[in-house]
């Protein structure tokens, strides 16, 4: 008989441990346990069966891996936490004896200093691993950099977050690594490409932040403590990789005045970077020369003499090209990916600013001035990241670092966020005053007038390329601001494509029917004396009839009415011999059908007139018949395709059939959403057309 297994020694009961058991095993309080788990990157796990993982009858809600808790037993931070606990007991005893000075001395001298350097190196073995985990870190630090200092958010933490984030932005400006930006309700999204890794973070708007009472700032402060250490390591590595001294010099006076990015002074590390490049080139050239010498020695003497001169010239040209490539930025052309299948989805194309050289030249020739109503910091950051080196703003509020003032003639573009700005009024001239007289009184310019020779645009982030300035002029309706991370799919709604190119045939027909119904309703609602566009009025019809009856005293015989024609046809048929009539031929049958159709149309017109409605024309009936024919044809094709799909589904296994039905359901949901968005756009375009009319 086999040995009976004891309950709780294998399976989920062994692999998982509850939070209370972990706290007892580590012998630390619950707040320290949470803090340690955040530092080490250990998070709760969800077992497949909580009943089997729990060792007691009481259901537990939070579980951890047993191996993770076993791993925490050897962490050096546990000693620091225990030292803090012992120090807290000593301070409480001193305060109980009313020894305030001793308590302050103990807190000042014996408080253990917690360093997280070894945890950063342990969690991120390579620098690429740290870059991949920068999204949450940057979002958290930018959030705390914009928070007001309170009792829960100390001012030192806010200042440290501001300094680290500004240092990171300076690196992006120097390397032109910023790629995308998007203004959303939550804030401004940025994406940068650093050493091949895409980093995305969120920066909140600079509004008054009101923290709710349900926010646990202790846990957020623990994350901030870890992320500040991580960003310090990353900034140091980034600055040293491009030959800059870290940390950069900070002008405290300018920082207090609100200079922000302009308060930092970046310094190069001397000629260390150039020396490394030169050393690498020398080493590479040495290996090439040695390989070329070995090849020449292996050749015969006759071939070596002729090959040596050509190879030396080629080597000299190659060396010159290498030096040129090092000294000058490379201008690369991005590949465009095309699909061989025309029915396939559109392939993702590289960004227009994916090339560093292109991104650095985007705003290089501009001198931009930011008006006081625009958000200065995000605009300055984006402009400098894409090559603009001359950015000015209003310094009347005490913000130093501006390149120029508003009256500077070197300004090429001014960003404003106000209604249309009028042009300056021409100067007043008197009869005895010469307009070219330099000694005359100077005319002061108004602050709400445009300066000639300057382009005024509204703040708007677009697709990484220069757009027409008139589309973003003050007072103009801006183009839709679309997310650069959402790519349109085939069959979906694409706001950048005209509606006629993406709507289905059924939607187009429904739209045309709706337009015709609206036109008919407009005709019915119109009164007899009103003139409607495209329809003859009563007075015009009477004038035309009078002209036909009397023209210069000559009587004009009116054409026989349809009633007379019908009477004639009836008399002819009635007077003919029924026995001699052998039926209609093919052409005669078509003629009779056409006559019958015309008679029915005439009868419908008479009924409409009797009811007081406007009669519909035969052209509309023809259009309606053609539309109905196309609709019946399309319905028949869709029905045949649906029957074909149903036949194929019968041959599928049950599992694949269920999966196929889920796919069809999800695609139908997406099509309904796209159709709803297209209908909304169609309605907006119609309203805009009516307003213009």
């Amino acid at each position: 008989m086999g040995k009976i297994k004891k309950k709780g020694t294998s399976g989920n009961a062994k692999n998982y441990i509850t939070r209370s058991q972990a706290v007892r095993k580590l012998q630390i309080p619950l707040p320290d346990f949470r803090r340690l788990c955040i530092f080490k990157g250990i998070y709760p796990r969800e077992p497949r069966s909580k009943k089997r993982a729990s060792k007691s009858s009481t259901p537990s809600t939070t579980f951890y891996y047993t191996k993770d808790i076993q791993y925490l037993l050897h962490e050096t931070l546990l000693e620091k936490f225990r030292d803090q606990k012992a120090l807290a007991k000593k301070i409480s005893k001193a305060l109980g004896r009313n020894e305030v000075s001793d308590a302050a001395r103990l807190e000042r001298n014996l408080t253990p200093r917690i360093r997280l350097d070894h945890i950063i190196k342990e969690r991120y073995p390579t620098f690429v691993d740290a870059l991949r985990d920068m999204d949450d870190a940057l979002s958290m630090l930018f959030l705390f950099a914009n928070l007001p200092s309170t009792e829960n958010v100390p001012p030192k933490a806010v200042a440290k977050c501001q300094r680290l984030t500004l240092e990171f932005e300076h690196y992006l400006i120097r390397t032109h690594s910023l790629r995308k930006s998007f203004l959303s309700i939550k804030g401004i999204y940025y994406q940068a490409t650093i050493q091949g890794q895409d980093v995305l973070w969120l920066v909140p708007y600079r509004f008054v932040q009101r923290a709710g009472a349900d926010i646990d700032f202790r846990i957020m402060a623990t994350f901030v403590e870890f992320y500040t250490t991580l960003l310090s390591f990353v900034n140091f590595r980034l600055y040293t990789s491009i030959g800059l001294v870290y940390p950069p010099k900070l002008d405290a006076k300018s920082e207090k005045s609100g200079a922000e990015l302009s308060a930092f002074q970046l310094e190069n590390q001397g000629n260390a970077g150039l020396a490394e490049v030169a050393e690498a080139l020398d080493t590479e050239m040495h290996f090439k020369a040695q390989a070329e010498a070995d090849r020449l020695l292996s050749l015969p003497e006759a071939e070596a003499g002729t090959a040596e001169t050509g190879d030396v010239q080629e080597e000299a040209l190659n060396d010159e090209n290498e030096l040129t490539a090092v000294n000058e930025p490379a201008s690369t052309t991005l590949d465009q990916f095309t699909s061989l299948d025309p029915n396939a989805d559109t392939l993702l194309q590289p960004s227009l600013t994916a090339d560093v050289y292109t991104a650095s030249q985007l705003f290089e020739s501009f001198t931009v001035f930011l008006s006081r109503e625009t958000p200065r910091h995000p605009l300055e950051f984006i402009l400098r990241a894409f090559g603009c080196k001359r950015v000015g703003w209003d310094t009347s509020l005490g913000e130093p670092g501006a390149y120029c003032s508003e009256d500077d003639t070197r300004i090429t573009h001014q960003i404003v966020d106000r209604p249309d700005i009028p042009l300056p009024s021409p100067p007043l001239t008197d009869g005895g005053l010469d307009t070219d007289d330099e000694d005359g009184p100077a005319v002061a310019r108004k602050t709400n007038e445009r300066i000639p020779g300057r382009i005024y645009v509204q703040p708007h982030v677009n697709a990484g390329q220069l757009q027409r300035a008139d589309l973003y002029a003050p007072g103009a309706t801006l183009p839709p601001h679309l997310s650069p991370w959402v790519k349109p799919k085939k069959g979906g709604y694409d706001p950048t494509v005209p509606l006629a190119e993406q709507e289905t045939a059924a939607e187009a027909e429904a739209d045309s029917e709706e337009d015709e119904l609206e036109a008919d309703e407009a005709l019915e609602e119109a009164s007899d004396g009103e003139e409607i566009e495209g329809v003859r009025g009563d007075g015009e019809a009477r004038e035309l009839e009078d002209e036909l009856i009397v023209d210069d005293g000559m009587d004009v015989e009116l054409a026989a009415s349809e009633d007379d024609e019908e009477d004639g046809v009836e008399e002819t048929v009635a007077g003919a011999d029924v026995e001699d009539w052998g039926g209609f031929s093919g052409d005669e049958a078509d003629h009779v059908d056409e006559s019958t159709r015309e008679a029915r149309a005439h009868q419908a017109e008479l009924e409409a007139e009797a009811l007081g409605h406007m009669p519909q024309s035969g052209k509309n009936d023809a259009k309606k018949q053609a539309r109905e024919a196309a609709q019946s044809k399309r319905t028949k094709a869709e029905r045949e395709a649906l029957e074909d799909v149903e036949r194929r589904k019968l041959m599928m296994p049950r599992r694949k059939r269920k999966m196929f039905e889920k796919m069809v359901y999800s695609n139908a949901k997406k099509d309904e959403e796209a159709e709803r968005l297209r209908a909304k756009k169609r309605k907006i375009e119609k309203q805009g057309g009516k307003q213009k009319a």
Side-chain angles (χ1 to χ4, degrees), residues 126-180:
T126 62
F127 184 61
V128 176
D129 296 332
L131 290 177
R132 290 172 181 169
D133 202 22
M134 285 295 295
D135 296 1
D136 294 336
L138 290 174
S139 299
M140 180 67 75
L141 294 182
F142 272 100
L143 172 62
F144 268 73
N146 290 277
L147 286 179
S149 58
T150 59
E151 57 181 11
N152 296 322
V153 184
K156 289 185 178 180
V158 175
K160 190 174 184 180
C161 293
Q162 291 176 353
R163 181 178 60 83
L164 291 174
T165 53
L166 290 175
E167 290 173 357
F168 181 73
E169 288 180 348
H170 265 294
Y171 169 79
L172 299 180
I173 292 172
R174 177 61 69 93
T175 58
H176 307 288
S177 302
L178 188 64
R179 292 293 173 266
K180 297 177 182 179

Side-chain angles (χ1 to χ4, degrees), residues 214 228 286 326 393 400 542:
D214 56 342
T228 50
H286 173 72
V326 171
W393 55 83
R542 294 191 187 95

Side-chain angles (χ1 to χ4, degrees), residues 555-579:
D555 294 337
V556 179
E557 184 180 357
L558 295 176
S561 64
E562 294 179 356
D563 296 338
D564 297 339
E565 291 180 358
E566 290 178 0
D567 295 339
V569 171
E570 292 176 358
E571 291 175 358
T572 305
V573 174
D577 191 0
V578 180
E579 296 178 357

Side-chain angles (χ1 to χ4, degrees), residues 283-546:
T283 305
E284 187 177 359
M285 292 172 63
H286 173 72
F287 284 119
K288 288 183 178 180
Q290 185 63 35
E292 185 64 23
D294 295 340
R295 189 181 69 82
L296 291 176
L297 289 175
S298 62
L299 293 176
E301 295 182 359
E303 296 180 1
T306 58
E308 184 176 359
T309 56
D311 291 340
V312 167
Q313 294 177 358
E314 184 179 357
E315 186 70 22
L317 291 175
N318 292 337
D319 296 342
E320 184 178 357
N321 293 335
E322 289 179 359
L323 291 175
T324 305
V326 171
N327 295 330
E328 296 181 0
S331 178
T332 58
T333 303
L334 298 177
D335 296 333
Q336 297 294 328
F337 303 104
T338 57
S339 177
L340 298 178
D341 188 4
N343 297 325
D345 294 338
T346 305
L347 298 177
L348 294 177
Q349 303 295 334
S351 175
L352 298 174
T353 56
D355 183 14
V356 177
Y357 181 74
T358 304
S360 63
Q361 300 291 325
L362 193 62
F363 299 134
E364 186 180 14
S365 60
F366 296 164
T367 301
V368 183
F369 182 83
L370 307 177
S371 299
R372 61 179 181 272
E373 71 273 4
T374 58
R376 181 176 69 84
H377 180 74
L379 290 177
E380 180 189 4
F381 169 58
I382 293 174
L383 288 171
R384 291 190 175 183
F386 286 100
C388 184
K389 300 179 180 178
R390 299 173 296 275
V391 183
W393 55 83
D394 190 1
T395 58
S396 61
L397 301 178
E399 299 177 351
Y403 175 78
C404 57
S405 60
E406 188 175 2
D407 296 331
D408 200 319
T409 57
R410 296 172 295 178
I411 297 175
T412 59
H413 294 73
Q414 182 170 347
I415 301 178
V416 296
D417 192 7
R418 62 183 73 171
D420 192 10
I421 304 176
L423 293 173
S425 56
L428 299 175
T429 57
D430 297 335
L433 181 61
D434 188 4
T435 57
D436 297 333
D437 189 6
E438 297 181 357
D439 297 335
V443 179
R445 186 186 67 86
K446 297 181 180 179
T447 56
N448 59 344
E449 289 183 351
R450 296 195 184 193
I451 298 179
R454 184 179 300 182
I455 299 175
Y456 289 81
V457 294
Q458 299 183 55
H460 191 77
V461 182
N462 214 303
Q465 58 182 348
L466 296 179
Q467 303 287 339
R468 290 168 44 192
D470 58 329
L471 298 177
Y472 305 90
T477 302
L478 296 178
H481 184 56
L482 306 176
S483 173
W485 295 282
V486 178
K487 302 300 180 182
K489 297 181 180 179
K490 184 179 179 181
Y493 173 70
D494 187 1
T496 60
V497 178
L499 195 60
E501 298 181 7
Q502 56 179 329
E503 64 181 358
T504 60
E507 293 177 2
E509 290 181 2
D511 184 30
S512 61
E513 290 180 1
E514 186 178 353
D515 292 342
E516 291 180 2
L517 289 176
E518 291 179 358
D520 295 341
E521 290 177 358
L523 290 174
E524 292 177 1
E525 293 176 358
S527 60
D528 295 338
E530 291 181 347
E531 298 290 337
I532 302 175
E533 183 179 359
V535 180
R536 294 181 184 271
D538 296 337
E540 186 178 356
R542 294 191 187 95
E543 292 177 1
L544 182 60
E545 186 177 356
D546 295 339

Side-chain angles (χ1 to χ4, degrees), residues 604-613:
E605 291 180 1
L606 293 177
E607 292 177 357
E609 290 179 358
L611 295 175
H613 300 303

